[in-house]
Amino acid sequence: YEIAEVIGEGTAGVVYKAYQPSLDRHVAIMVLKEELATDPAVVAGFRQAVLTAARLSHPNILDIHDMQSEDGLQYVVMDYSPRGSLEQRLEIGPLAVEEAVRLVAELASALAYVHAQGLVHGDLKPSNVLLDAAGHALLSDIGLARALAAARPDLQVGTPEYMAPEQAEGAPPDARSDIYSLGLILFEALTGQVPFKGDTPLSTLYRQVNEPVPRLTDMGVQAPFLQDILDRALAKDPDARYQSAAEMGRALQRAAQALVRSDQQADLQATIRTTPFGAEETVVDTAVSAGEEMPAATSASGGR
């Protein structure tokens, strides 16, 4: 491999963009940090987490190609994602509502698959979500943070802004913790801001545990059906959340369908406004003959 540049760094290691001449392609290589690579327990946990993740096969999970130990280096070779991470994308600003819903629905699908294998991600955050060339979500670092924490209890893993309340209180994460983190990602994708942020890591964790979910309308996002999804995904009590990523994924699919219907209604209304007087019946007849359900008219105040 020919190393090109550093493209990321986390608690566990440094990620490089590299060229693989044998297959004429670019790959990403994560090298375990030197201070961790000398700890046999950490290396064993790292290798086990990578082996487990490499067995996973899902369209929205990053593919792992190889793992090697060479000259004291521990490294793993993965797909290279040319569009970077979701964290890097959100530095530009929030996503369009439709794109945010699509990406998070893809992540929900990946999590449902991960959980069905009896696994938990445990450190879901935008930096662990990569974007492929077409802009689809790819989940990475599955189970890595938990493996490192088990090997080195003194190692600071996890990010307060993306931790579930039960994690903040010292409990191990489960599938519902991942769902909470997914809700945090949805909020940030829609607004460009994390919902709970303090001046210190401790104050951030306090807010995760105690503060209510912010309103999207206060952030300028008009999407009441998504607020309902956020309220449930971000419930403080794990039993009050979606009990599976698949369930949350279905809710997001319904939200996506609602967005499509809303766009279709707006397009129809725009067409009616621009047609000559008396031509509205033609537009309506065409829609009905195509099998579209005509939405109920609403007043400006929301009444029927």
Side-chain angles (χ1 to χ4, degrees):
Y1 301 102
E2 299 172 2
I3 301 298
E5 60 181 325
V6 175
I7 56 175
E9 183 173 358
T11 303
V14 180
V15 182
Y16 299 88
K17 177 184 177 182
Y19 176 66
Q20 184 179 8
S22 61
L23 293 178
D24 188 25
R25 67 176 181 180
H26 285 99
V27 295
I29 300 179
M30 185 179 78
V31 180
L32 191 64
K33 288 185 176 178
E34 184 177 357
E35 61 268 26
L36 298 178
T38 56
D39 186 326
V42 170
V43 171
F46 172 77
R47 293 182 66 85
Q48 184 57 55
V50 172
L51 284 172
T52 300
R55 297 188 185 103
L56 303 177
S57 179
H58 186 279
N60 300 112
I61 292 179
L62 188 71
D63 284 334
I64 294 175
H65 301 300
D66 195 10
M67 178 172 59
Q68 293 290 338
S69 176
E70 182 179 338
D71 296 330
L73 296 177
Q74 302 288 336
Y75 64 91
V76 55
V77 183
M78 308 165 287
D79 270 347
Y80 170 66
S81 300
R83 297 182 64 168
S85 69
L86 180 58
E87 178 184 50
Q88 292 168 321
R89 168 58 186 83
L90 291 176
E91 290 174 356
I92 301 172
L95 305 181
V97 173
E98 294 83 355
E99 184 180 8
V101 170
R102 175 183 61 78
L103 278 175
V104 177
E106 291 175 350
L107 291 173
S109 176
L111 279 178
Y113 172 78
V114 169
H115 295 161
Q117 314 310 308
L119 303 173
V120 173
H121 190 289
D123 191 29
L124 184 58
K125 53 190 176 184
S127 61
N128 286 337
V129 176
L130 301 176
L131 304 174
D132 69 11
H136 295 291
L138 296 171
L139 191 59
S140 70
D141 288 7
I142 297 167
L144 184 58
R146 297 186 71 195
L148 294 177
R152 282 275 299 271
D154 63 310
L155 194 63
Q156 182 63 46
V157 297
T159 305
E161 287 81 4
Y162 303 101
M163 294 174 69
E166 60 272 19
Q167 289 177 277
E169 294 175 335
D174 63 12
R176 297 169 300 176
S177 307
D178 282 348
I179 290 169
Y180 185 93
S181 298
L182 189 59
L184 295 172
I185 290 175
L186 175 59
F187 186 95
E188 186 176 3
L190 291 166
T191 67
Q193 301 180 39
V194 294
F196 305 108
K197 176 69 174 176
D199 296 329
T200 65
L202 186 59
S203 63
T204 296
L205 293 175
Y206 176 86
R207 293 185 177 187
Q208 295 281 20
V209 173
N210 294 285
E211 290 192 354
V213 182
R215 302 294 91 184
L216 288 175
T217 51
D218 293 339
M219 311 295 290
V221 179
Q222 305 298 324
F225 45 89
L226 291 178
Q227 185 68 61
D228 293 340
I229 292 174
L230 285 169
D231 287 342
R232 188 166 179 192
L234 297 177
K236 306 302 182 185
D237 181 0
D239 290 336
R241 295 175 203 152
Y242 295 105
Q243 294 303 289
S244 72
E247 184 183 7
M248 183 173 175
R250 288 191 292 271
L252 288 164
Q253 288 175 342
R254 291 192 293 271
Q257 292 166 356
L259 286 168
V260 170
R261 289 195 296 270
S262 177
D263 289 343
Q264 289 174 340
Q265 180 179 2
D267 290 344
L268 178 60
Q269 290 173 340
T271 302
I272 291 174
R273 284 195 297 271
T274 57
T275 52
F277 178 77
E280 292 88 342
E281 293 81 358
T282 303
V283 176
V284 174
D285 288 346
T286 301
V288 172
S289 65
E292 296 182 10
E293 179 181 350
M294 294 301 297
T298 59
S299 67
S301 62
R304 291 181 180 274

